[in-house]
Amino acid sequence: MTAASTAGHESGTNSGLLFEYALKFLLLSAFLELVLYRLASRLGMHMAKLAEKSEAVRLTFQTLSSLGFILLNVTSILLFLVLFILLIQKVRQSVWTGQFDGFLVPAVSLLVVLTVVYLLFPPAMLGSVVYNVVSFVILAILMAEFLATHHLWAQRITVGCFLFGIMGWIYYQTVSTTYGLLGIVSAPPLVHEISRGGEALMVLASILVLWSYGSTSLFTRNKTQRRWAITLLLSGGATFFTLLYIDFFLSLYSPALAEDARKAGQGIGWVFQMGMGYTFYLPFALYMAGFTCWAYTVIKLVLIGRLAGYGLGLMFMAGYALQLSHLTLMVVVGLMLMTLDKRGTLGKLRNKAGTVAYTPVTPAFSQIR
């Protein structure tokens, strides 16, 4: 091995190590930002009257909101870092290269430039429409690449539901903003129906991830996996049906208690609507089922180093309403990780980061694919 190739390999390994740790910190930072900023700060707004009466409550929510805002900036910086590494690796024609990178790299680069420009100069309506259109194009490219590299129908259906769900929100935002830009007062065609349909597809996708990425056969010889699968099935099933019929059971027991439970549910729905865009028009049990399936799958995949775990984590933590630019970048990074999932785990990709693209006659190529 020549000195130049050795230096290139060490450089690639270092970038792979940087990518690995940046991605791990990004997932943690995004989760804390979701809890402390997007949810806790909204909860503080919901409990404004209580905060006025108690100085301790006010200071608690103010501190959580401040920490969340710091985490938002940290998450944004880590997103730029991870995106930069991904784009560099794709330009270098490494093992991370995909067949649609000729379209993907310029589109993602344009989105990053727009994000930076809009941070310095807040966009007007036209700028928002351009940003949404570019995001839509990137999602379409990533969907084509995912379908080309993943042939299991369970995974195709799951990612397809997620993408069509997010595209429902992008349609809602783009068409509504365009109507406002043109000064049209009437409501855009099917805008509310598509938005609600997109939310339903997002919830469905969060449930399907267990089937496509996290499921374990009940007949496996691994006793630990079989025990975890049975525990999740029994506890999750019992919780799902309890939440589904809790209003009915509470109404039989005490109408007043059932009314209080409904008000509490509306408050929770308001917090999640402001923080993640979910309106909770579907039965609450479906949202909880989606959260349980998603959390189990993400934890399982992250523990074994699967890029799909990090991708699914970022995609669903971004929420349904991509009202902030870093949320759109989280979805883009998550989907890029999903397309790279079959290339290997984080540890393997770290070592392959400096490897040039393989030719079809190289035996190692079939092993990587």
Side-chain angles (χ1 to χ4, degrees):
M1 183 179 290
T2 64
S5 61
T6 302
H9 179 73
E10 291 178 353
S11 175
T13 302
N14 291 334
S15 65
L17 191 62
L18 176 62
F19 173 78
E20 179 178 345
Y21 282 98
L23 188 57
K24 290 179 179 178
F25 282 111
L26 172 60
L27 186 67
L28 177 61
S29 176
F31 174 74
L32 294 176
E33 182 265 335
L34 167 64
V35 175
L36 298 180
Y37 183 69
R38 281 187 279 156
L39 297 184
S41 61
R42 269 63 175 188
L43 183 61
M45 295 169 57
H46 187 66
M47 302 177 64
K49 293 184 178 179
L50 179 60
E52 292 176 357
K53 298 178 181 179
S54 174
E55 184 68 14
V57 174
R58 186 186 68 81
L59 290 176
T60 298
F61 281 109
Q62 185 177 0
T63 303
L64 291 176
S65 180
S66 300
L67 288 174
F69 186 75
I70 295 174
L71 286 167
L72 184 149
N73 293 322
V74 172
T75 301
S76 300
I77 294 172
L78 290 172
L79 278 169
F80 281 118
L81 177 60
V82 170
L83 262 178
F84 178 76
I85 296 174
L86 284 172
L87 293 176
I88 289 296
Q89 290 296 333
K90 288 180 174 296
V91 170
R92 290 177 58 188
Q93 296 296 312
S94 67
V95 71
W96 298 11
T97 304
Q99 63 186 64
F100 292 95
D101 287 348
F103 303 100
L104 180 63
V105 172
V108 175
S109 301
L110 176 60
L111 185 69
V112 172
V113 171
L114 289 176
T115 302
V116 174
V117 171
Y118 290 168
L119 288 175
L120 300 175
F121 308 98
M125 288 186 177
L126 181 59
S128 299
V129 172
V130 172
Y131 196 87
N132 288 328
V133 170
V134 174
S135 301
F136 186 91
V137 171
I138 293 174
L139 295 182
I141 296 173
L142 287 171
M143 184 174 183
E145 184 171 347
F146 185 88
L147 293 177
T149 56
H150 293 72
H151 303 292
L152 292 179
W153 278 103
Q155 296 176 356
R156 288 182 168 188
I157 292 173
T158 300
V159 175
C161 285
F162 176 86
L163 284 170
F164 281 116
I166 285 293
M167 287 178 177
W169 164 259
I170 294 178
Y171 171 83
Y172 170 79
Q173 281 288 94
T174 304
V175 176
S176 299
T177 306
T178 302
Y179 268 50
L181 181 64
L182 298 177
I184 303 176
V185 181
S186 60
L190 301 176
V191 64
H192 296 295
E193 290 79 4
I194 291 178
S195 176
R196 291 166 70 90
E199 180 177 341
L201 287 174
M202 284 281 291
V203 175
L204 176 61
S206 66
I207 297 175
L208 291 178
V209 294
L210 180 64
W211 168 50
S212 56
Y213 282 97
S215 59
T216 301
S217 174
L218 297 178
F219 304 102
T220 180
R221 294 182 179 181
N222 190 316
K223 294 182 179 180
T224 302
Q225 291 187 4
R226 185 168 64 243
R227 184 167 59 250
W228 275 102
I230 293 175
T231 301
L232 178 66
L233 180 63
L234 294 178
S235 60
T239 303
F240 175 79
F241 285 105
T242 299
L243 290 173
L244 191 61
Y245 294 104
I246 191 170
D247 186 77
F248 173 73
F249 292 141
L250 286 178
S251 298
L252 294 179
Y253 176 74
S254 172
L257 184 60
E259 183 64 25
D260 292 338
R262 294 190 192 101
K263 292 181 179 179
Q266 292 174 357
I268 295 174
W270 183 85
V271 171
F272 275 86
Q273 180 179 3
M274 295 293 293
M276 299 183 70
Y278 291 115
T279 62
F280 277 68
Y281 79 94
L282 297 170
F284 183 72
L286 294 176
Y287 293 92
M288 286 303 301
F291 172 77
T292 303
C293 295
W294 167 81
Y296 174 85
T297 304
V298 169
I299 292 173
K300 177 180 178 179
L301 295 179
V302 167
L303 289 178
I304 61 177
R306 287 276 301 274
L307 288 177
Y310 294 90
L312 290 171
L314 293 174
M315 286 158 55
F316 284 96
M317 281 193 291
Y320 178 56
L322 307 179
Q323 297 176 337
L324 302 174
S325 58
H326 80 287
L327 301 180
T328 302
L329 294 181
M330 282 174 63
V331 173
V332 171
V333 170
L335 286 169
M336 291 178 71
L337 295 175
M338 296 294 290
T339 60
L340 292 172
D341 179 61
K342 296 188 71 174
R343 310 295 176 87
T345 59
L346 266 179
K348 292 181 179 179
L349 282 177
R350 179 207 316 153
N351 298 326
K352 298 174 184 175
T355 307
V356 295
Y358 293 96
T359 58
V361 296
T362 305
F365 181 79
S366 60
Q367 298 174 4
I368 294 171
R369 298 291 290 181

